[in-house]
Amino acid sequence: MKPIQVGLLGIGTVGSGTFEVLRRNQEEIKRRTGRGIEVTMVADLDVARAQSIVGMHAQVVNDARQVIANPEIDIVIELIGGYGIAKQLVLEAIAAGKHVVTANKALLAVHGTEIFAAAHAKGVMVAFEAAVAGGIPIIKALREGLTANRIQWVAGIINGTTNFILSEMRDKGLAFADVLKQAQALGYAEADPTFDIEGVDAAHKATIMSAIAFGVPVQFDKAYVEGITRLEAQDIKYAEQLGYRIKLLGISKRTAAGIELRVHPCLVPTKRLIANVEGAMNAVMVQADAVGTTLYYGKGAGSEPTASAVIADLVDIARLHTADPHHRVPHLAFQPDAMSTLAILAMDQVVTSYYLRLRVADEAGVLAKVTGILATAGISIDAVLQREAGEGENQTDLIILTHDCQEAKMNQALAEMQQLSTVLAPITRIRKEELN
Ligand code: HSE
């Protein structure tokens, strides 16, 4: 059978990995697919660089629309990134009847509804395994492997840059800014690292996972997003003493009231496997009713790990593109006419547990006042740790772990505690998930 022809838009880190892995493993891939997969056309603004990567194997152009207009091209891979030109090109490719493979999590998290609707109307596939957790086949797992289940929650370390920063800060006691520079040098960080450290990249990925897990539309605008820039080394140490590691988690839970969709730093018990995911590695835990808890671990970024996901999508499309569109796997796992209208909950409706650090005057009655406020709010305390005040010191740190309560109640209690004259600095609040 004639090889399926692929056009590549953007040949940077992931594009060159895709080209290389397809070339190196072409026989193995062909044995699986039943036909060859060939990148025959590449569009990149840096034509000379692109040509040096693909040699004589593909035609290189500097205009992506030439790829989309080529009737020989069956699949367009979009690796440009961002919401701007990438969105236009994806919609144009769909309109031209091309299947699309993309690693663009930002685009799908924000404009997925429009893109999937266009693809559905045109009868083409938009595949995006590479958009979440790089080489880990988490989209395939959520959408197909767990299809028998009612999924209850998904919680993942889905940003390698921040996990690398948190690991290095904990292991080596390094400062946040120094580790960020290393992460950029190693190529983990986004072009604009704000997206990594402020939790936006993880929220894009959590939004996509939430949609597939629960059959709700992608709703990035409803996600609660908090990054790691305000985390202090002392909280990493106190958490450790209490048997927890701090991770930036992307969490989506189904509750009776609605769907939780949030990204924030989180204490996780050190005994959980996911707490021991270090460096730039990613991991996603899924809790589902039939299978129980499953954990998916691997490289969440990088040239060939992400290429692995892109090529898996190419193989899926090569296998399915002649199938009746109604018999393909739906983009968001659920049939488009069977999507849930369950609302994404506002953060103050979320129920979770907390780590609080209070800088307090070291005097009689302070603990009683603080715990009194929590008791009045109906917030149950799980553990208390008080650092011994140093010689001549008249203030100290009070660490409190709570049981689950609604965020709104905690906000109210925090506001009251902050008013106490014996609380000497802004209170640090970090959420905690037991993941059991
Ligand atoms: N900047 C991302 C990360 C790359 O650090 O995980 C993969 O999406």
Side-chain angles (χ1 to χ4, degrees), residues 105 130-131 133-134 158-162 187-190 196 201 205 280 282 300-302 306:
K105 56 247 165 173
I158 43 180
N159 181 268
T161 303
T162 44
Y188 305 140
E190 297 297 300
D196 295 299
D201 175 74
K205 296 166 184 168
N282 281 200
T306 313

Short mmCIF file of all heavy atoms in Angstrom, two decimals, residues 105 130-131 133-134 158-162 187-190 196 201 205 280 282 300-302 306, ligand 1:
data_model
loop_
_atom_site.label_atom_id
_atom_site.label_comp_id
_atom_site.label_asym_id
_atom_site.label_seq_id
_atom_site.Cartn_x
_atom_site.Cartn_y
_atom_site.Cartn_z
N LYS A 105 -0.77 21.98 23.49
CA LYS A 105 -1.71 21.90 24.63
C LYS A 105 -2.44 23.21 24.85
O LYS A 105 -3.61 23.24 25.21
CB LYS A 105 -0.98 21.46 25.90
CG LYS A 105 0.20 22.36 26.29
CD LYS A 105 1.53 21.65 26.17
CE LYS A 105 2.68 22.64 26.21
NZ LYS A 105 3.99 22.03 26.26
N ALA A 130 0.74 13.97 22.16
CA ALA A 130 1.96 14.69 22.58
C ALA A 130 1.65 15.96 23.37
O ALA A 130 2.57 16.56 23.93
CB ALA A 130 2.78 15.05 21.34
N ALA A 131 0.39 16.33 23.44
CA ALA A 131 0.05 17.58 24.14
C ALA A 131 0.11 17.43 25.66
O ALA A 131 0.24 18.42 26.37
CB ALA A 131 -1.33 18.06 23.71
N ALA A 133 1.90 15.41 28.89
CA ALA A 133 2.89 14.50 29.48
C ALA A 133 3.78 13.82 28.43
O ALA A 133 4.19 12.66 28.61
CB ALA A 133 2.20 13.46 30.36
N GLY A 134 4.10 14.55 27.39
CA GLY A 134 5.11 14.12 26.39
C GLY A 134 4.96 12.68 25.95
O GLY A 134 3.98 12.30 25.31
N ILE A 158 2.65 17.16 35.72
CA ILE A 158 2.57 17.26 34.26
C ILE A 158 3.36 18.45 33.75
O ILE A 158 3.16 18.89 32.62
CB ILE A 158 1.09 17.30 33.79
CG1 ILE A 158 0.25 18.22 34.68
CG2 ILE A 158 0.51 15.90 33.74
CD1 ILE A 158 -1.20 18.33 34.29
N ASN A 159 4.26 18.95 34.58
CA ASN A 159 5.19 19.96 34.09
C ASN A 159 6.57 19.61 34.61
O ASN A 159 6.83 19.65 35.82
CB ASN A 159 4.77 21.36 34.54
CG ASN A 159 5.73 22.41 34.01
OD1 ASN A 159 6.69 22.77 34.66
ND2 ASN A 159 5.51 22.87 32.78
N GLY A 160 7.45 19.22 33.68
CA GLY A 160 8.79 18.77 34.05
C GLY A 160 9.64 19.88 34.63
O GLY A 160 10.44 19.64 35.55
N THR A 161 9.49 21.09 34.10
CA THR A 161 10.31 22.20 34.57
C THR A 161 10.10 22.44 36.06
O THR A 161 11.07 22.54 36.82
CB THR A 161 9.94 23.48 33.79
OG1 THR A 161 10.12 23.22 32.40
CG2 THR A 161 10.78 24.67 34.20
N THR A 162 8.86 22.53 36.48
CA THR A 162 8.60 22.81 37.89
C THR A 162 8.97 21.62 38.77
O THR A 162 9.44 21.80 39.89
CB THR A 162 7.12 23.19 38.11
OG1 THR A 162 6.31 22.28 37.37
CG2 THR A 162 6.84 24.60 37.67
N GLY A 187 16.46 22.66 28.26
CA GLY A 187 15.41 22.61 27.23
C GLY A 187 14.08 22.12 27.74
O GLY A 187 13.19 21.79 26.96
N TYR A 188 13.86 22.05 29.08
CA TYR A 188 12.56 21.60 29.59
C TYR A 188 11.55 22.74 29.55
O TYR A 188 10.36 22.52 29.34
CB TYR A 188 12.65 21.15 31.07
CG TYR A 188 13.66 20.09 31.37
CD1 TYR A 188 14.42 20.15 32.54
CD2 TYR A 188 13.86 19.02 30.51
CE1 TYR A 188 15.35 19.17 32.84
CE2 TYR A 188 14.79 18.04 30.80
CZ TYR A 188 15.53 18.12 31.97
OH TYR A 188 16.45 17.17 32.27
N ALA A 189 12.05 23.95 29.83
CA ALA A 189 11.12 25.08 30.03
C ALA A 189 10.53 25.54 28.70
O ALA A 189 11.16 25.42 27.64
CB ALA A 189 11.85 26.22 30.72
N GLU A 190 9.32 26.08 28.76
CA GLU A 190 8.69 26.69 27.59
C GLU A 190 9.49 27.93 27.20
O GLU A 190 10.25 28.48 28.02
CB GLU A 190 7.26 27.13 27.93
CG GLU A 190 6.33 25.98 28.30
CD GLU A 190 6.12 25.02 27.15
OE1 GLU A 190 5.64 25.42 26.09
OE2 GLU A 190 6.46 23.84 27.32
N ASP A 196 5.45 27.82 32.66
CA ASP A 196 5.80 26.67 33.51
C ASP A 196 5.64 27.03 34.97
O ASP A 196 4.88 26.38 35.69
CB ASP A 196 7.26 26.24 33.24
CG ASP A 196 7.47 25.73 31.84
OD1 ASP A 196 6.82 24.74 31.48
OD2 ASP A 196 8.28 26.31 31.10
N ASP A 201 1.12 26.01 31.98
CA ASP A 201 1.35 24.84 31.13
C ASP A 201 0.66 23.61 31.74
O ASP A 201 -0.03 22.85 31.05
CB ASP A 201 2.87 24.61 30.99
CG ASP A 201 3.20 23.36 30.22
OD1 ASP A 201 3.03 23.36 28.99
OD2 ASP A 201 3.61 22.35 30.85
N LYS A 205 -2.65 21.22 30.34
CA LYS A 205 -2.67 19.75 30.26
C LYS A 205 -3.79 19.18 31.14
O LYS A 205 -4.49 18.24 30.74
CB LYS A 205 -1.30 19.20 30.66
CG LYS A 205 -0.18 19.62 29.70
CD LYS A 205 1.19 19.35 30.29
CE LYS A 205 2.31 19.85 29.39
NZ LYS A 205 3.62 19.86 30.06
N ALA A 280 12.86 16.07 35.90
CA ALA A 280 11.91 16.53 34.88
C ALA A 280 10.88 15.47 34.51
O ALA A 280 10.09 15.67 33.58
CB ALA A 280 12.67 16.97 33.65
N ASN A 282 7.56 13.11 34.49
CA ASN A 282 6.13 13.35 34.69
C ASN A 282 5.48 12.06 35.20
O ASN A 282 6.01 10.96 34.98
CB ASN A 282 5.43 13.70 33.37
CG ASN A 282 5.62 15.14 32.93
OD1 ASN A 282 4.85 15.66 32.14
ND2 ASN A 282 6.65 15.82 33.42
N GLY A 300 8.14 13.69 30.21
CA GLY A 300 7.05 14.56 29.80
C GLY A 300 7.45 15.58 28.76
O GLY A 300 6.64 16.41 28.34
N ALA A 301 8.70 15.56 28.35
CA ALA A 301 9.16 16.53 27.35
C ALA A 301 10.41 15.94 26.67
O ALA A 301 10.87 14.86 27.02
CB ALA A 301 9.50 17.86 28.02
N GLY A 302 10.92 16.70 25.71
CA GLY A 302 12.14 16.26 25.03
C GLY A 302 11.83 15.80 23.62
O GLY A 302 10.69 15.45 23.29
N THR A 306 8.67 13.07 23.02
CA THR A 306 7.46 13.70 22.47
C THR A 306 7.20 13.19 21.06
O THR A 306 6.04 12.99 20.66
CB THR A 306 7.59 15.24 22.52
OG1 THR A 306 8.06 15.61 23.82
CG2 THR A 306 6.27 15.93 22.26
N1 HSE B 1 7.60 23.00 29.45
C1 HSE B 1 6.98 21.72 29.51
C2 HSE B 1 7.45 21.02 30.78
C3 HSE B 1 7.36 20.93 28.27
O1 HSE B 1 8.31 21.55 31.48
O2 HSE B 1 6.93 19.96 31.10
C4 HSE B 1 6.41 19.83 27.92
O3 HSE B 1 5.11 20.26 27.73
#
